[in-house]
């Protein structure tokens, strides 16, 4: 694999060749063809434009959450990069949407804003990194990370727990909400 390291001015600062056997590369994300290019719905990369209530301003019957939403870059970079989106952050988006839809049905104005907090166990196979970023997009109030084999084990355990609760039809059991509250990890602002 031939890798070019780009300097701040866009020039090539260094190149290196890495062994390529079982490797993974993530290309830049873009929105799916079904929505790309619809004026007012998506940005030029095909991500859905939303307001602070996760709602599209042009098509108010459209709400969006997850990796498909348009998030403005946090700063200037020599090559365009996306903003990371992770599971807990996405759960906060869907919680805000569900609560806002409830308000719409009751004829009230929407008030719920997702925190976009990140709480992540990233598994690297034999180890991993756990991190909390509140909110995920800087400037942050909380920035914490730790690594080790325990993250891999925690992720394997979490997967079993997560699939189990979803199979039971319970998205957020009270003990999970309690544990997250104790850690100060909220899904809705305020
Ligand atoms: C390699 C990798 C590792 C990651 N690790 C972590 C992690 O450890 N922790 C964490 O929190 N997050 C992690 N993430 C991020 C997280 O997985 C994603 O942010 C999350 O899965 C996005 O969920 P989503 O529902 O928005 O989108 P997706 O999970 O991508 O779901 C979108 C779905 O829409 C379907 N679809 C697409 N086009 C159409 C169409 N035209 N019609 C109908 N259906 C369509 C797709 O098939 C897909 O099933 C990781 C991401 C990657 C790529």
């Amino acid at each position: 694999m031939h890798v070019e390291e780009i300097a701040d001015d866009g020039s090539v600062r260094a190149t290196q060749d890495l062994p390529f056997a079982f490797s993974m590369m993530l290309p830049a994300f873009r929105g799916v063809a079904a929505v790309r290019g619809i004026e007012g719905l998506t940005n030029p990369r095909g991500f859905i434009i939303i307001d602070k209530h996760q709602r599209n301003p042009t098509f108010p019957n459209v709400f969006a959450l997850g990796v498909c939403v348009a998030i403005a870059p946090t700063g200037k970079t020599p090559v365009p990069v996306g903003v990371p989106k992770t599971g807990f952050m996405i759960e906060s988006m869907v919680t805000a949407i569900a609560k806002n839809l409830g308000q719409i049905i009751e004829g009230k104005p929407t008030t719920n804003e997702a925190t976009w907090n990140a709480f992540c166990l990233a598994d690297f196979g034999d180890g991993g990194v756990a991190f909390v970023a509140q909110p995920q997009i800087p400037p942050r109030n909380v920035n914490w990370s730790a690594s080790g084999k325990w993250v891999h084990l925690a992720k394997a355990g979490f997967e079993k727990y997560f699939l189990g609760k979803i199979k039971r039809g319970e998205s957020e059991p009270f003990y999970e909400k309690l544990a997250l509250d104790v850690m100060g990890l909220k899904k809705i602002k305020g």
Side-chain angles (χ1 to χ4, degrees), residues 24 26 29 31-35 65-69 84-90 93 118-123 129 131 136 155 158:
M24 182 176 80
L26 291 179
F29 286 1
V32 296
V35 293
L65 67 128
V67 80
C68 69
V69 302
K85 295 157 191 163
T86 51
F88 188 83
M89 177 191 196
I90 295 172
M93 295 187 197
F119 173 35
C120 190
L121 298 169
D123 189 356
V129 172
F131 65 83
Q136 178 154 315
K155 184 85 185 211
F158 177 74

Side-chain angles (χ1 to χ4, degrees), residues 31-187:
V32 296
V35 293
R36 216 181 304 143
I38 299 176
E39 185 67 29
L41 182 66
T42 55
N43 73 4
R45 296 285 304 169
F47 292 107
I48 311 282
I49 299 162
I50 50 163
D51 64 15
K52 61 185 180 175
H53 299 125
Q54 306 287 138
R55 192 176 200 173
N56 180 263
T58 311
F59 303 95
N61 56 333
V62 173
F63 288 76
L65 67 128
V67 80
C68 69
V69 302
I71 300 180
T74 56
K76 211 169 168 291
T77 49
V79 287
V81 295
V83 176
K85 295 157 191 163
T86 51
F88 188 83
M89 177 191 196
I90 295 172
E91 285 188 33
S92 86
M93 295 187 197
V94 74
T95 305
I97 293 179
K99 287 180 182 287
N100 287 333
L101 288 176
Q103 289 177 320
I104 290 170
I105 290 166
E106 289 168 0
K108 296 174 184 164
T110 53
T111 57
N112 295 281
E113 287 179 45
T115 55
W116 292 13
N117 287 335
F119 173 35
C120 190
L121 298 169
D123 189 356
F124 298 162
D126 52 358
V129 172
F131 65 83
V132 176
Q134 297 195 62
Q136 178 154 315
I137 315 291
R140 291 190 181 129
N141 300 323
V142 179
N143 227 347
W144 171 87
S145 71
S147 62
K149 193 168 175 55
W150 67 271
V151 180
H152 166 68
L153 298 171
K155 184 85 185 211
F158 177 74
E159 183 184 315
K160 289 188 174 47
Y161 164 75
F162 188 88
L163 291 176
K165 72 168 185 175
I166 297 300
K167 277 182 191 161
R168 290 195 308 276
E170 259 186 297
S171 68
E172 194 179 55
F174 76 92
Y175 42 84
E176 180 180 317
K177 187 166 185 339
L178 191 68
L180 292 171
D181 280 355
V182 168
M183 289 191 281
L185 279 161
K186 297 201 180 307
K187 289 181 181 156

